[in-house]
């Protein structure tokens, strides 16, 4: 009887110790590893969405180049369905639900105004296509396509990762051409929040010349104003682009931020040795 009671007690103690080990291992995995797994999974998911947004920009750029090379093209008949992998599979053993985010069309401000010398201003309502994450572990990010640029925004900071179709070339000594192709996203303001995949339909492509200084006289300078939620990203882009062209801020051109939402650019600056040879602006229009 005494032996049997000792055996029962040791069995109970062993079971309790084994149960404690199991709960300890489960707690270590749940508290130490699962958050890392979920963070890595959300990071990978953001990478997939970024690749989708990059492909969206690429398709619009390729279609624009195609229309520019063939003015008689029937690109208005082209329809592009751009899938966005906003959804995901549930992670096993973690109790995690699907990732979710918000896809928006034309819910943010992006306008570009061009003011040639001795001429009235001309404006383009560029529109936007964006994705905003709803992460629980990895930092939330916004990917936004506006006026041909793809911008990554994170908290209060933003950076332009893929550039718009703006070209600056020196045709002769200190004599420059500016070629700007604006992208106008048309369509009703729309927002979709989902944890499953979705797609953006691009239709009714068209390209047309918007402004050409060769059609006017005495166009020796111009001003460019961009209204955007990310003026710092646009400002950094213009500084890098002008620097690569061999131009200096404050000497050859002016670049200022006004009211934290408008970028003001002018070329050439007064008393600069540089001059404007030609300003050409084209516009691609697409419905989203």
């Amino acid at each position: 009887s005494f032996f049997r009671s000792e055996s029962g007690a040791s069995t109970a103690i062993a079971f309790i110790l084994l149960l404690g080990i199991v709960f300890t291992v489960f707690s270590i995995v749940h508290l130490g590893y699962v958050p890392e797994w979920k963070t890595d999974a959300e990071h990978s998911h953001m990478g997939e969405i970024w690749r989708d947004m990059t492909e969206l920009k690429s398709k619009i750029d390729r279609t624009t180049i195609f229309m520019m090379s063939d003015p008689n093209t029937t690109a208005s008949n082209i329809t592009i369905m751009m899938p966005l992998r906003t959804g995901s599979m549930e992670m096993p053993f973690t109790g995690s639900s699907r990732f979710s985010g918000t896809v928006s069309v034309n819910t943010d401000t992006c306008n570009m105004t061009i003011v040639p010398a001795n001429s009235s201003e001309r404006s383009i309502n560029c529109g936007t296509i964006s994705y905003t994450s709803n992460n629980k572990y990895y930092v939330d990010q916004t990917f936004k396509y506006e006026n041909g640029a793809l911008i990554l925004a994170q908290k209060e900071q933003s950076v332009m990762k893929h550039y718009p179709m703006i070209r600056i070339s020196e045709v002769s000594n200190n004599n420059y051409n500016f070629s700007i192709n604006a992208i106008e996203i048309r369509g009703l303001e729309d927002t979709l929040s989902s944890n499953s995949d979705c797609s953006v339909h691009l239709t009714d492509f068209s390209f047309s010349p918007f402004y050409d200084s060769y059609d006017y006289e005495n166009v020796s300078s111009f001003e460019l104003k961009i209204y955007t939620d990310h003026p710092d990203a646009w400002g950094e882009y213009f500084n890098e682009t002008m620097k690569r062209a061999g131009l200096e801020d404050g000497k050859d051109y002016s670049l200022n931020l006004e009211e934290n939402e408008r970028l003001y650019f002018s070329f050439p600056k007064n008393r600069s040795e540089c001059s404007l040879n030609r300003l050409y602006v084209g516009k691609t229009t697409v419905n989203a």
Side-chain angles (χ1 to χ4, degrees):
S1 176
F2 182 76
F3 176 80
R4 287 196 301 272
S5 65
E6 282 187 341
S7 176
S10 62
T11 301
I13 293 173
F15 177 76
I16 293 174
L17 292 176
L18 180 61
L19 191 62
I21 293 173
V22 171
F23 275 106
T24 299
V25 172
F26 179 80
S27 298
I28 292 174
V29 172
H30 184 74
L31 298 178
Y33 291 96
V34 170
E36 294 294 332
W37 293 343
K38 292 183 177 180
T39 301
D40 290 342
E42 289 182 342
H43 176 264
S44 298
H45 181 242
M46 298 303 295
E48 292 177 351
I49 297 296
W50 178 255
R51 287 190 289 272
D52 292 341
M53 293 294 293
T54 301
E55 182 64 20
L56 183 145
K57 169 183 164 50
S58 178
K59 287 184 176 181
I60 295 178
D61 287 351
R62 291 197 299 265
T63 305
T64 296
I65 295 173
F66 171 67
M67 291 187 295
M68 293 172 65
S69 62
D70 184 5
N72 297 321
T73 184
T74 57
S76 59
N77 298 325
I78 297 177
T79 298
I80 297 176
M81 184 181 71
M82 186 62 234
L84 299 179
R85 289 168 288 183
T86 53
S88 65
M89 298 296 293
E90 295 184 3
M91 294 182 61
F93 310 116
T94 62
S96 175
S97 59
R98 294 173 178 265
F99 306 133
S100 63
T102 301
V103 180
S104 303
V105 175
N106 290 336
T107 58
D108 299 316
T109 300
C110 183
N111 298 311
M112 185 175 71
T113 300
I114 299 171
V115 188
N118 303 323
S119 182
S120 59
E121 66 179 32
R122 294 166 169 81
S123 297
I124 298 175
N125 184 18
C126 301
T128 61
I129 300 175
S130 64
Y131 171 84
T132 302
S133 65
N134 185 26
N135 294 330
K136 296 181 180 179
Y137 294 87
Y138 191 72
V139 62
D140 279 320
Q141 295 178 330
T142 296
F143 306 144
K144 185 177 296 184
Y145 177 79
E146 61 178 30
N147 199 15
L150 192 55
I151 295 174
L152 165 63
Q154 183 172 300
K155 295 183 178 180
E156 301 300 326
Q157 297 180 334
S158 60
V159 61
M160 187 179 295
K161 302 291 287 185
H162 295 291
Y163 295 158
M165 300 179 71
I166 299 177
R167 300 293 180 266
I168 304 171
S169 58
E170 186 178 13
V171 295
S172 61
N173 188 28
N174 291 330
N175 199 15
Y176 290 85
N177 282 350
F178 281 73
S179 176
I180 302 173
N181 189 76
I183 306 294
E184 181 179 32
I185 304 295
R186 294 182 178 178
L188 298 177
E189 180 180 317
D190 198 7
T191 299
L192 173 66
S193 296
S194 177
N195 60 0
S196 60
D197 292 345
C198 66
S199 61
V200 176
H201 291 256
L202 305 174
T203 61
D204 299 329
F205 282 87
S206 65
F207 172 82
S208 61
F210 185 75
Y211 176 83
D212 192 344
S213 62
Y214 277 5
D215 298 333
Y216 303 88
E217 296 181 357
N218 300 323
V219 183
S220 58
S221 63
F222 74 97
E223 299 174 357
L224 182 67
K225 301 176 183 178
I226 298 180
Y227 298 82
T228 174
D229 292 338
H230 311 287
D232 51 341
W234 279 94
E236 184 65 24
Y237 161 72
F238 271 100
N239 274 325
E240 291 181 2
T241 302
M242 300 298 284
K243 184 178 180 179
R244 286 197 300 268
L247 301 172
E248 297 182 22
D249 186 14
K251 176 183 177 182
D252 302 315
Y253 67 95
S254 294
L255 183 66
N256 299 297
L257 297 179
E258 299 179 358
E259 300 177 357
N260 294 324
E261 62 180 10
R262 181 172 66 178
L263 181 74
Y264 176 85
F265 172 83
S266 64
F267 177 88
K269 190 175 176 61
N270 292 336
R271 299 180 181 179
S272 172
E273 297 179 356
C274 300
S275 61
L276 176 66
N277 179 68
R278 183 184 185 186
L279 170 64
Y280 176 81
V281 182
K283 183 178 73 170
T284 298
T285 302
V286 57
N287 286 336

